[in-house]
């Protein structure tokens, strides 16, 4: 009897694997890509839910040890979408910019966000085109092959969801063979001239960053872009420290987005006043790009101003606070003007002051 039970299980397990991989996410997961991103072990279960009126779709495929193989979460609007967007802003997106003008980026831990237009579901309250937020996670894809499969899965499932929700519009183009998210490159500050991060070559920067490097993570047509100025590496091998961040945000990113280093107040990206802002923590310029509201921000990195371990905090003087506002305004002005020129944007408004 025991032998029969073991044999029976050994037959059922592969059949269950086959069935789950075929049925998960409505049977829309490409088999070859799924095999590429799938960790070892058996599959456990798949779950799927769809709320057309509420504009939500969710599916997940997990192993028998409850590790996610693929998870897809889509939101058209509502509190759940706001919560997801606030989570996105509370970090350093993009971890990688997407190729081919895909409207999205790679977040941390191999999570790809795409924001396709949803014209047949009407416009948002601000009159801008409505966009769907689709997050696709494929369990820490690491190799180039896994990253390419992850991106294909994300595009495939985003197109499936936009059709299910009746968004209309053109499907997103499939990535070119082997295309992966680009984490950006770090170049010496002097070499940023002529790039999307040239603001750091044409403005004054903190002394620690004059011989530092800049990470360029900006893609044409992307939803989020970032330029990060790092301090020159310390002689003791200390890690590069972020000094200044320049970011661009295209579209409606919710009402509660707080970028790291941007200060205590939410950035003016959602339903509130879409207007320039300036504080000692961050500067904000606004424009319209392809008819959509777009924001350009400049703020200090988490490690600026830097203090050695045990060094006592000394509040900045009024003159120092004023100088910080002046510098942030210079950064965001140079960055926004360059981005507007590159993207053919209009209606640029810059912060005044300090």
């Amino acid at each position: 009897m025991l032998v029969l039970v073991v044999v029976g299980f050994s037959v059922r397990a592969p059949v269950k694997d086959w069935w789950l991989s075929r049925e998960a996410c409505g049977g829309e997961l490409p088999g070859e890509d799924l095999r590429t991103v799938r960790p070892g072990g058996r599959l456990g279960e798949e779950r799927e839910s769809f709320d057309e009126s509420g504009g939500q779709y969710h599916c997940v495929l997990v192993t028998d040890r409850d590790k996610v193989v693929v998870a897809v979460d889509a939101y058209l609007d509502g509190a759940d979408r706001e919560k997801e967007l606030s989570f996105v802003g509370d970090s350093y997106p993009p971890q990688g910019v997407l190729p081919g003008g895909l409207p999205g980026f790679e977040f941390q831990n191999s999570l790809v966000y795409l924001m396709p237009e949803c014209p047949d579901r009407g416009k948002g309250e601000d009159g801008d085109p409505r966009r769907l937020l689709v997050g696709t996670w494929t369990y820490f894809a690491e190799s180039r092959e896994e990253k390419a499969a992850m991106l294909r899965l994300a595009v495939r499932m985003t197109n499936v969801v936009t059709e299910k929700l009746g968004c209309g519009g053109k499907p997103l183009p499939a990535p070119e063979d082997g295309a992966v998210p680009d984490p950006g490159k770090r170049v010496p500050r002097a070499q940023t001239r002529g790039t999307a991060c040239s603001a750091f070559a044409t403005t004054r920067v903190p002394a620690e960053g004059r011989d530092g490097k800049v990470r360029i993570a900006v893609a044409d047509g992307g939803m989020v872009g970032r330029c990060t100025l790092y301090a020159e590496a310390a002689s003791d091998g200390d890690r590069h420290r972020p000094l200044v961040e320049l970011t661009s945000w295209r579209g409606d990113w919710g009402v509660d987005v707080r970028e790291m280093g941007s200060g205590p107040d939410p950035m003016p990206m959602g339903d509130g006043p879409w207007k320039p802002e300036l504080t000692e923590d961050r500067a904000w310029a606004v424009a319209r790009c392809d008819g959509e509201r777009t924001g350009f921000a400049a703020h200090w990195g988490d490690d600026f101003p830097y203090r050695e371990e045990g060094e006592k905090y000394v509040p900045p003087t009024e003159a120092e606070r004023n100088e910080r506002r002046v510098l942030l305004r210079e950064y965001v002005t140079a960055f926004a003007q360059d981005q507007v020129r590159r993207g053919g944007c209009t209606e640029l408004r810059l912060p005044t002051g300090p």
Side-chain angles (χ1 to χ4, degrees):
M1 176 65 73
L2 178 60
V3 172
L4 291 177
V5 170
V6 172
V7 171
F9 177 79
S10 67
V11 172
R12 287 197 302 272
V15 171
K16 181 181 179 183
D17 267 22
W18 171 82
W19 185 87
L20 286 172
S21 61
R22 192 174 75 88
E23 296 297 318
C25 298
E28 297 289 351
L29 298 174
E32 184 175 344
D33 291 333
L34 181 59
R35 286 189 292 273
T36 300
V37 301
R38 177 181 163 181
R42 297 293 184 186
L43 296 178
E45 65 173 332
E46 60 94 16
R47 299 184 296 273
E48 183 181 28
S49 65
F50 173 51
D51 180 359
E52 184 175 7
S53 61
Q56 291 197 24
Y57 173 84
H58 306 277
C59 76
V60 62
L61 174 64
V62 299
T63 69
D64 58 358
R65 297 192 177 187
D66 207 33
K67 289 186 176 180
V68 171
V69 180
V70 177
V72 180
D73 297 289
Y75 310 91
L76 187 57
D77 46 31
D80 290 335
R81 186 178 192 271
E82 293 293 333
K83 183 179 179 180
E84 190 77 6
L85 290 176
S86 66
F87 166 71
V88 173
D90 191 27
S91 187
Y92 287 106
Q95 301 292 325
V97 295
L98 303 186
L102 288 169
F105 57 93
E106 182 188 6
F107 192 48
Q108 58 193 3
N109 298 335
S110 303
L111 171 59
V112 173
Y113 281 108
L114 286 163
M115 294 183 71
E117 290 190 11
C118 200
D120 289 358
R121 294 294 294 260
K123 294 187 175 183
E125 294 181 2
D126 53 18
D128 283 356
R130 200 171 223 174
R131 286 187 179 269
L132 183 67
L133 176 67
V134 184
T136 304
W137 182 41
T138 54
Y139 190 74
F140 301 99
E142 295 179 355
S143 71
R144 188 174 183 88
E145 182 184 17
E146 291 167 342
K147 290 281 190 180
M150 169 193 73
L151 184 58
R152 289 192 297 266
L153 280 166
V155 172
R156 166 65 178 169
M157 290 310 301
T158 297
N159 285 335
V160 167
V161 174
T162 55
E163 184 175 352
K164 287 179 72 71
L165 288 172
C167 282
K170 295 181 179 179
L172 298 180
E176 292 185 4
D177 187 39
V180 297
D182 181 2
K185 57 183 179 180
R186 293 192 185 190
V187 302
R189 183 179 73 91
Q191 294 181 17
T192 61
R193 191 178 297 273
T195 72
C197 300
S198 62
F200 285 134
T202 59
T203 57
R204 298 175 296 155
V205 299
E208 305 98 311
R210 289 172 188 163
D211 295 319
K213 291 191 174 182
V214 175
R215 176 182 175 238
I216 302 174
V218 181
D220 292 338
M223 306 305 296
V224 176
R226 182 175 298 271
C227 303
T228 305
L229 173 64
Y230 292 91
E232 183 182 10
S235 58
D236 61 0
D238 190 16
R239 65 183 178 87
H240 292 269
R241 295 180 282 107
L243 298 176
V244 185
E245 303 272 359
L246 304 177
T247 56
S248 60
W249 299 79
R250 177 178 169 182
D252 178 9
W253 282 89
V255 298
D256 194 33
V257 173
R258 290 175 171 83
E259 281 196 289
M260 286 187 176
S262 65
D265 299 322
M267 303 184 79
M269 308 164 108
D271 297 334
W274 189 256
K275 64 181 182 180
E277 296 275 353
L278 179 63
T279 72
E280 66 187 82
D281 295 310
R282 56 121 168 112
W284 178 259
V286 298
R288 284 195 172 271
C289 301
D290 291 332
E292 287 190 279
R293 299 193 302 178
T294 303
F296 307 101
H299 61 76
W300 304 114
D302 276 354
D303 291 329
F304 183 83
Y306 179 71
R307 297 198 309 275
E308 297 290 346
E309 185 176 352
E311 184 180 348
K312 184 179 179 181
Y313 169 71
V314 178
T317 64
E318 182 56 37
E320 289 172 331
R321 287 195 292 266
N322 184 71
E323 177 66 5
R324 291 181 187 179
R325 287 190 287 266
V326 169
L327 286 174
L328 288 176
R329 185 178 184 278
E330 289 181 9
Y331 299 147
V332 81
T333 297
F335 180 58
Q337 288 177 338
D338 182 64
Q339 290 293 301
V340 164
R341 177 184 59 81
R342 290 170 179 271
C345 307
T346 60
E347 302 179 37
L348 174 63
R349 291 185 289 160
L350 300 168
T352 58

